[in-house]
Amino acid sequence: MCGITGWVCYHGLADGSAATLRAMTTTLTPRGPDASGVWLSRQAAFGHQRLAVLDIEGGTQPMVREDVVLTYSGEIYNHHELRDELRRRGHHFTTRSDTEVVLRAYQEWGDAMADRLVGMYAFAIWDETKRHLLLVRDRLGVKPLYWSAIDGGIAFASEPKALFEHPELEPTVDTAGLREAYSLLFNTGPTLWAGVRELPPGTLLSLTPDGRRERTYWQLEVHEHTDDRDATVAKVTELLNAATRSQVEADVPLCSLLSGGLDSTVVTALAADELGQAGTTLRSYAVDYSDQAEKFTGDVLRTGHDTPFATEAGAFIGTEHDTVVLDPKLLLDPDHRAAVVACRDSPIGVGDMDTSLYLLFGRIREHSTVALSGEAADEVFAGYPWFHTPRAIEATTFPWLLVTDDEAAMPMHPDLAPVLRIGEYQADTYTDALAAVPHLPGEDAVEYRQRELQHLSLTRWLRQLLHRKDRLSMARGLEVRVPYCDHRLVEYAFSIPWQIKAFDGREKSVLRAAARGLAPESVLMRPKNHYPATHHPDYNRGLQDLARAALSGSDTLRGLVDEAKVKPVLDCAPEKLAWGHRLRLERVVDLGLWLDHHRPRITL
């Protein structure tokens, strides 16, 4: 995995472009700590920070072959098959890297090469002869890619912070950006930052002297499902098996994130079996807090303590399992929290859960460079409560807004409400989102609604989870792979009828059936449990102190936040602080840190 950046200007590069490119590239060093490279021509500048995973010696970038230049981040899991086909077509390879496969695939098929790729990726190609820039992002949006218009062309980067090192771009937030931040709708395209756009998943952007165009090369579609229940389970087993086993290739140490839930246990079991055939024992990791065993308290997202299940699953599978135990006080450390906000480029996160994940990834990176994750199984196999509870099914809004309700929402300053009109924006966006959902003729009301919920989850909710995992892992130089995001598995599962998808009356019926023999019975039957959070009153007390300090030290923050809604939460007894109110404080603290770090120009 890596960080990419650069720009194309058809007017010609300005004086000082080499220094600008170095500055842009350097901001991405955490994403690629192993090597740095730049390439410039009369009209194009490409930068790359490398995290070496495959072909350590041969995969240096930017890669140049003849008149084509590539800066690339990601993994192509079918690169062996593509390499064989390209060799048959006359192409010669000098490395073992998937990077060279991507470059040669462009030379053979042009932008149609995107249809042939299986993996997670974001890359830019410059064709010097054609004066053609091509940006491509993977189908599910696992890897990020941002761009912004500049005079005579565009600039691009894995993260917005790199763009702001370009002399024509600055960190500016306008009304539309604040609306994105406060609404929690996870749109793809517009971003928090004025003038900065996110290339949508499954999309490529083509730039020539004649202009710019975007083309969607993949999107979720629904097809008639003819398999019965047993055949469906068998097909899911086959697809998930193939996806996981294809993702264990690495020339560096690889591990698995094992929470003790169904999703991560299945991936860990399949990966452990694949590595075991080569005589290698898989390492697995879980996270816990020093107070969790004594002070665990269930809430709207968590029903039990993860560690016993993770330990049991590791023993059942035969991994070398380790539980990283964090002191809740570490989650209050200003340096850790500032680092998290800086790597996100956004004030929107989940506070202590982001900080603990950042710390977990740091500990894992001491031993491993690549980790497998169970992310996306809930979206693919209907694991969230909102697929099953009448309140969410009958709601006329995005289902996660029922969880992140007024208690947890950012307390918006009353002067902003008539300007941002969040409620109206959410309603309009919801209508547009439903209009994009594909359906089969003759679907009954249950099937129709479940298709909507699945599409919303896969095209919006999942994207912010992938964003979170990418930013926090890459900030520690750790590559996280997500087998459940294999587009072939997602395509098949999206078309499974609801009567099969929930055949046993609970979440993830098909995945649970496919997991027989891969996980202990306790894990198979365990209800959905979200990422763990500390329940120590001292953490709540420290969080209240951080929020008070943030508000007292920033006029800008006070101009964005409704202090009247924050004060009762600050005055609440720490041991009685509800989860939603705590998340409200987390968002106030993170907003303050974001303002301090990025110092954006805010225009309303």
Side-chain angles (χ1 to χ4, degrees):
M1 203 60 61
C2 308
I4 67 171
T5 191
W7 74 94
V8 165
C9 178
Y10 289 113
H11 301 329
L13 300 189
D15 293 341
S17 290
T20 296
L21 182 59
R22 286 287 184 189
M24 294 172 69
T25 304
T26 298
T27 66
L28 302 173
T29 298
R31 297 186 70 91
D34 295 330
S36 179
V38 297
W39 178 93
L40 299 95
S41 69
R42 192 173 65 84
Q43 296 181 329
F46 274 25
H48 189 268
Q49 287 291 152
R50 187 182 185 205
L51 178 65
V53 173
L54 287 175
D55 192 2
I56 308 303
E57 299 300 324
T60 56
Q61 297 187 54
M63 183 173 283
V64 183
R65 295 292 184 270
E66 293 81 49
D67 57 352
V68 177
V69 187
L70 169 68
T71 183
Y72 157 77
S73 170
E75 302 292 343
I76 304 301
Y77 302 126
N78 65 333
H79 71 98
H80 293 294
E81 295 86 346
L82 290 174
R83 185 189 303 269
D84 290 343
E85 182 175 357
L86 288 163
R87 277 178 172 153
R88 289 193 296 270
R89 291 172 176 267
H91 291 273
H92 174 67
F93 289 87
T94 60
T95 74
R96 294 188 298 108
S97 70
D98 57 341
T99 305
E100 190 174 10
V101 172
V102 172
L103 194 153
R104 294 299 188 189
Y106 168 79
Q107 290 179 317
E108 179 65 29
W109 296 300
D111 63 14
M113 51 90 80
D115 299 311
R116 298 172 179 263
L117 303 179
V118 176
M120 56 178 190
Y121 47 84
F123 58 85
I125 291 175
W126 172 247
D127 190 320
E128 184 81 4
T129 300
K130 297 178 181 178
R131 296 200 298 162
H132 174 213
L133 174 69
L134 180 68
L135 304 182
V136 182
R137 191 176 180 200
D138 67 69
R139 294 169 179 83
L140 273 294
V142 182
K143 292 292 104 183
L145 186 53
Y146 298 87
W147 66 274
S148 187
I150 58 173
D151 184 32
I154 67 170
F156 64 88
S158 296
E159 300 178 8
K161 60 172 64 70
L163 295 175
F164 300 140
E165 293 296 327
H166 191 281
E168 294 184 38
L169 304 173
E170 65 173 332
T172 301
V173 178
D174 58 15
T175 301
L178 286 177
R179 191 177 291 120
E180 289 294 327
Y182 279 116
S183 63
L184 302 178
L185 302 185
F186 314 119
N187 290 308
T188 301
T191 70
L192 169 71
W193 304 102
V196 175
R197 295 190 62 82
E198 181 182 5
L199 189 67
T203 300
L204 55 83
L205 184 153
S206 180
L207 180 73
T208 69
D210 295 328
R212 180 182 70 231
R213 68 178 180 88
E214 286 188 15
R215 178 174 71 83
T216 300
Y217 69 90
W218 184 88
Q219 60 186 350
L220 267 179
E221 297 177 348
V222 60
H223 303 284
E224 193 72 36
H225 189 85
T226 58
D227 293 341
D228 63 15
R229 182 199 299 178
D230 290 344
T232 297
V233 172
K235 185 64 174 179
V236 165
T237 302
E238 174 193 334
L239 290 170
L240 183 55
N241 202 339
T244 304
R245 293 177 189 276
S246 72
Q247 296 188 28
V248 299
E249 182 183 11
D251 293 338
V252 291
L254 176 144
C255 69
S256 183
L257 307 178
L258 179 59
S259 69
L262 177 64
D263 314 341
S264 63
T265 301
V266 171
V267 166
T268 300
L270 293 173
D273 181 70
E274 180 70 13
L275 292 176
Q277 294 179 30
T280 301
T281 299
L282 179 67
R283 297 189 71 147
S284 60
Y285 291 90
V287 67
D288 201 358
Y289 305 98
S290 56
D291 67 311
Q292 197 82 329
E294 296 80 19
K295 295 185 180 294
F296 177 82
T297 304
D299 57 31
V300 67
L301 297 179
R302 300 164 194 88
T303 59
H305 185 199
D306 278 346
T307 294
F309 293 95
T311 302
E312 182 184 4
F316 180 89
I317 297 166
T319 67
E320 183 181 338
H321 187 68
D322 184 22
T323 301
V324 175
V325 180
L326 301 175
D327 185 333
K329 294 178 182 177
L330 287 175
L331 308 181
L332 297 167
D333 185 289
D335 291 337
H336 294 326
R337 296 192 71 111
V340 167
V341 172
C343 76
R344 281 199 321 244
D345 281 333
S346 169
I348 303 303
V350 283
D352 65 311
M353 291 182 282
D354 283 351
T355 308
S356 68
L357 191 61
Y358 173 82
L359 294 172
L360 170 65
F361 287 154
R363 290 283 293 276
I364 291 174
R365 188 60 176 87
E366 295 172 6
H367 306 283
S368 300
T369 307
V370 178
L372 297 178
S373 168
E375 201 79 83
D378 288 306
E379 292 78 9
V380 174
F381 294 107
Y384 292 118
W386 61 61
F387 290 105
H388 307 275
T389 57
R391 181 180 178 229
I393 293 170
E394 297 166 6
T396 56
T397 190
F398 295 97
W400 51 86
L401 295 182
L402 303 178
V403 181
T404 56
D405 56 13
D406 288 343
E407 282 190 353
M410 179 72 76
M412 181 173 55
H413 194 284
D415 290 348
L416 289 176
V419 177
L420 300 185
R421 298 154 68 185
I422 295 296
E424 180 181 338
Y425 181 61
Q426 289 174 333
D428 290 345
T429 304
Y430 184 68
T431 299
D432 293 341
L434 293 188
V437 179
H439 292 281
L440 290 174
E443 287 182 343
D444 62 27
V446 172
E447 194 71 42
Y448 196 93
R449 180 55 176 160
Q450 287 298 335
R451 192 84 64 201
E452 290 178 339
L453 291 172
Q454 292 167 56
H455 195 271
L456 294 174
S457 299
L458 285 163
T459 61
R460 289 178 177 270
W461 181 255
L462 175 60
R463 289 178 185 175
Q464 59 89 23
L465 294 178
L466 294 173
H467 174 277
R468 171 180 182 253
K469 189 142 287 181
D470 172 83
R471 292 302 186 85
L472 296 175
S473 63
M474 295 306 294
R476 310 312 296 260
L478 178 71
E479 173 180 296
V480 175
R481 300 176 181 177
V482 279
Y484 290 107
C485 283
D486 186 292
H487 74 277
R488 297 161 298 185
L489 174 64
V490 173
E491 287 173 340
Y492 182 80
F494 184 63
S495 293
I496 298 174
W498 185 247
Q499 63 180 1
I500 295 179
K501 190 167 283 185
F503 69 79
D504 61 0
R506 58 175 302 186
E507 79 283 356
K508 291 184 281 199
S509 307
V510 173
L511 179 60
R512 185 174 296 101
R516 290 289 174 187
L518 298 175
E521 191 69 17
S522 62
V523 172
L524 283 174
M525 303 312 296
R526 188 185 181 199
K528 166 68 182 172
N529 209 53
H530 287 262
Y531 185 87
T534 180
H535 295 82
H536 202 293
D538 285 350
Y539 176 80
N540 293 346
R541 185 177 295 107
L543 181 64
Q544 289 170 317
D545 291 341
L546 288 177
R548 289 190 191 95
L551 287 168
S552 66
S554 173
D555 291 338
T556 304
L557 179 61
R558 289 194 298 273
L560 296 173
V561 170
D562 187 347
E563 293 185 83
K565 289 186 177 180
V566 177
K567 188 177 186 307
V569 186
L570 293 175
D571 295 339
C572 178
E575 64 275 9
K576 296 182 178 180
L577 196 62
W579 173 83
H581 285 150
R582 189 169 98 170
L583 186 53
R584 177 180 293 183
L585 292 184
E586 301 276 13
R587 287 175 169 158
V588 170
V589 172
D590 283 359
L591 179 58
L593 290 168
W594 173 76
L595 290 169
D596 286 344
H597 182 270
H598 288 86
R599 301 194 178 280
R601 183 169 64 93
I602 298 178
T603 61
L604 297 177

